[in-house]
Amino acid sequence: MYALADCNNFFASCERVFRPELNGKPVIVLSNNDGCAIARSNEAKALGIKMGDPYFKIKPIIEANHVAVFSSNFPLYGDMSRRVQEVLRMFSPAVEPYSIDESFLDLSGLEVADFQALAQEISRTCLRYTAIPLSVGIAPSKTLAKIASKLCKQYPRLEGGCYMYRPQDIEKVLRRFPVQDVWGIGRRSARRLADMGIRTAWDYTQLPETTVRKVFNLPGFRTWKELQGTPCIQFEDMLEPKQSICVSRSFSHDVRALDEFVEQITTFAGKAVEKLRAQGSFALEMAVFAMTNRFKENLPQSNEGRYVMFPEATQDYRTIVTTAAETARIIFHPELAYKKGGVVFTKMEQTHTPSLFDKPEDAEREARLSASIDHIKKSFGEESLLFGIQGDGKFHMAQDFKSPHYTTRWSDLPSVSVK
Ligand SMILES: [Mg+2]
């Protein structure tokens, strides 16, 4: 059996953890630069606010209904996500984070008398320990577990847990489940299926195996088997490291000064190294890119990138950040106003062979330094340790409604007065 634990309206729920007076009230969270709604509490959904609605468009609804608005606070969400995973690990040794708000649990080999009760207990425990509401679906395959967790959201009487295993129950659910909402069915397959007259997940399971294999290849076949209750998607399938890592953002204002440009690019580079190290990879090639605002047609336009090869694969903070700074200086043009920039590792390796010309003690010293940087950032927050060249290490983004870093910054700890 597999479980899928999905945090309900995750970012909005995180904001409520430390603002309990917002329970039962409409809450939304905005994307980077306060662009559009990326999370909505149920009350905000009921007001008709859609995923991806631009802030300016929904402002009248927000004002008329006193919707609480937050800029995204990723350090808070990341930390809450870690806490949720800790709770999940109480229930199974095999927890596989799938995204910031979803994890799979492998329940095979565990002695469980009542899976329905277990699903509800996981959800209840998570709420008690972290104040984050959770939907837990348990089923014979990951794909079915995902569907089961969606049912929890539709039916509050399930109390956050849904165990789906009897063939007749699965059939009943699949007959009403739109095929395009099935995990693993991409937009292109969905269009294909619509053309073939396949509307529900159940219709899909009724296609002959040869058609599925021919039209939808191996991934489509796996989904087909999974919907029939045969697990085909293994745990390690998801654990493959990313093939490229990119950190890029729009700036809140036009960047025209070289120093500020370098600060931003090196800040992106630092974040990219964090991601690189977290998945245990080494970068061989990096691209630094920057572009102007194409909507400001009266200004000179540019969209420039430059690739650099490292002499050998590296995951060293100093090497990568300094290289990014050098590259940023090369691509910068003082007559331009930059709107966006980024750093991407385009070639990576999972292992690293030291070159003949390196002194092993140097490599070891570098590795120790980078490990210490990781440790300090993890303990004291991402901005606790920066290279001088990174300035204040902040993306210069519009974030007018950001909540405090309640759980990751000492100065932002919530205070409680007891009378
Ligand atoms: Mg969710």
Side-chain angles (χ1 to χ4, degrees):
M1 285 295 162
Y2 292 94
L4 187 268
D6 180 10
C7 303
N8 302 348
N9 314 326
F10 182 55
F11 299 164
S13 300
C14 288
E15 295 294 350
R16 274 176 172 168
V17 170
F18 295 93
R19 298 278 306 275
E21 77 277 13
L22 294 175
N23 283 328
K25 304 244 167 71
V27 174
I28 63 165
V29 176
L30 300 175
S31 60
N32 284 336
N33 276 324
D34 294 340
C36 47
I38 51 166
R40 306 152 298 150
S41 70
N42 290 342
E43 298 77 11
K45 288 177 189 171
L47 291 172
I49 298 176
K50 301 253 170 344
M51 195 71 176
D53 272 351
Y55 175 60
F56 70 87
K57 208 183 103 193
I58 49 177
K59 218 168 164 187
I61 310 182
I62 290 171
E63 280 164 6
N65 298 281
H66 307 289
V67 177
V69 179
F70 292 92
S71 305
S72 3
N73 184 346
F74 287 107
L76 174 67
Y77 311 150
D79 191 55
M80 292 309 296
S81 170
R82 188 186 54 77
R83 292 173 188 218
V84 169
Q85 281 165 32
E86 256 169 48
V87 172
L88 297 177
R89 259 180 238 114
M90 294 162 55
F91 294 93
S92 164
V95 174
E96 177 193 87
Y98 175 64
S99 67
I100 193 164
D101 69 333
E102 280 177 63
S103 298
F104 285 106
L105 282 74
D106 187 348
L107 303 174
S108 47
L110 303 182
E111 266 178 44
V112 178
D114 182 346
F115 279 107
Q116 175 59 37
L118 175 70
Q120 287 167 337
E121 196 194 328
I122 297 175
S123 172
R124 227 177 6 249
T125 312
C126 184
L127 189 66
R128 196 180 329 129
Y129 283 29
T130 68
I132 298 286
L134 200 63
S135 293
V136 182
I138 299 183
S141 71
K142 283 179 158 183
T143 306
L144 288 174
K146 271 219 149 200
I147 293 176
S149 85
K150 284 194 182 166
L151 294 182
C152 303
K153 288 184 191 143
Q154 267 170 37
Y155 302 104
R157 66 180 166 80
L158 289 172
E159 292 173 15
C162 173
Y163 174 42
M164 192 169 85
Y165 76 105
R166 290 192 315 177
Q168 61 269 40
D169 293 340
I170 294 178
E171 177 179 341
K172 219 161 93 189
V173 171
L174 296 190
R175 277 185 185 281
R176 271 181 295 176
F177 201 84
V179 70
Q180 68 271 19
D181 293 347
V182 172
W183 182 48
I185 300 283
R187 220 179 301 161
R188 265 187 33 215
S189 307
R191 235 177 288 141
R192 248 339 204 325
L193 287 162
D195 291 344
M196 294 165 69
I198 304 295
R199 313 236 165 272
T200 67
W202 179 254
D203 296 342
Y204 187 58
T205 62
Q206 298 307 296
L207 284 174
E209 182 178 333
T210 42
T211 313
V212 173
R213 277 184 180 274
K214 216 170 84 193
V215 184
F216 303 102
N217 304 322
L218 187 62
F221 173 68
R222 280 198 200 152
T223 303
W224 183 78
K225 289 288 269 182
E226 284 247 324
L227 284 172
Q228 297 174 10
T230 313
C232 288
I233 300 173
Q234 294 308 314
F235 255 51
E236 50 283 7
D237 283 356
M238 306 300 171
L239 292 177
E240 271 179 26
K242 290 203 175 78
Q243 294 303 305
S244 73
I245 288 174
C246 177
V247 176
S248 106
R249 300 277 195 285
S250 297
F251 308 131
S252 63
H253 56 272
D254 290 349
V255 171
R256 293 168 177 277
L258 175 63
D259 286 350
E260 193 186 358
F261 183 72
V262 173
E263 274 177 22
Q264 293 285 293
I265 296 291
T266 49
T267 301
F268 297 143
K271 297 261 176 201
V273 180
E274 271 175 49
K275 291 187 179 189
L276 181 77
R277 297 179 58 83
Q279 69 168 40
S281 306
F282 296 80
L284 259 179
E285 187 188 70
M286 170 173 74
V288 173
F289 60 91
M291 56 197 79
T292 51
N293 189 344
R294 64 193 163 88
F295 295 110
K296 291 190 178 167
E297 285 164 0
N298 53 332
L299 292 179
Q301 296 289 317
S302 157
N303 182 355
E304 196 175 338
R306 183 169 288 239
Y307 289 88
V308 261
M309 289 286 289
F310 295 105
E312 61 179 291
T314 178
Q315 53 168 207
D316 177 56
Y317 277 104
R318 276 188 308 179
T319 310
I320 294 172
V321 169
T322 13
T323 311
E326 285 162 16
T327 318
R329 287 199 184 94
I330 296 170
I331 63 171
F332 179 81
H333 294 290
E335 69 280 9
L336 296 176
Y338 290 99
K339 181 61 193 164
K340 189 176 178 170
V343 166
V344 50
F345 297 131
T346 39
K347 285 208 184 95
M348 296 189 290
E349 284 183 350
Q350 274 316 99
T351 49
H352 144 80
T353 333
S355 95
L356 277 176
F357 308 106
D358 267 358
K359 284 197 222 129
E361 56 272 25
D362 285 352
E364 201 194 309
R365 207 178 307 133
E366 267 177 16
R368 275 214 312 269
L369 178 66
S370 283
S372 309
I373 295 176
D374 283 341
H375 184 71
I376 293 170
K377 281 173 179 279
K378 217 173 253 165
S379 313
F380 300 101
E382 279 180 29
E383 291 149 20
S384 58
L385 186 66
L386 295 162
F387 290 89
I389 207 164
Q390 292 176 313
D392 61 5
K394 290 200 171 61
F395 299 129
H396 294 175
M397 288 197 298
Q399 290 194 309
D400 292 342
F401 319 100
K402 191 159 166 189
S403 53
H405 294 242
Y406 296 109
T407 61
T408 51
R409 197 182 276 166
W410 288 111
S411 58
D412 288 359
L413 270 184
S415 60
V416 179
S417 59
V418 182
K419 282 183 191 148

